[in-house]
Amino acid sequence: MKPGIIIIILIIFAWPLYYLYQRQLGAISFLLLAIFFLYISMKERKKTKSQNKNGTD
């Protein structure tokens, strides 16, 4: 994923996550951020694996 897209997504979701944090539900916002970053890392890992399979070892 492009860094610009990641920043835009984080900005869009900043207010709802902050709202959860203010309502003493910070664990939920942390869980959502963790899932988001896990998704990004899995996409990047898949991309590097496919590049390594194409002969760039």
Side-chain angles (χ1 to χ4, degrees), residues 9-24:
I9 290 172
L10 289 175
I11 289 172
I12 290 171
F13 287 109
W15 180 79
L17 294 177
Y18 183 71
Y19 178 78
L20 288 173
Y21 178 75
Q22 290 292 22
R23 299 287 175 212
Q24 302 297 322

Side-chain angles (χ1 to χ4, degrees), residues 11-40:
I11 289 172
I12 290 171
F13 287 109
W15 180 79
L17 294 177
Y18 183 71
Y19 178 78
L20 288 173
Y21 178 75
Q22 290 292 22
R23 299 287 175 212
Q24 302 297 322
L25 298 171
I28 295 172
S29 61
F30 179 76
L31 176 66
L32 293 174
L33 283 173
I35 291 170
F36 176 67
F37 284 114
L38 176 68
Y39 172 74
I40 292 170

Side-chain angles (χ1 to χ4, degrees), residues 1-14:
M1 259 183 162
K2 294 181 181 179
I5 294 173
I6 294 171
I7 291 172
I8 291 171
I9 290 172
L10 289 175
I11 289 172
I12 290 171
F13 287 109

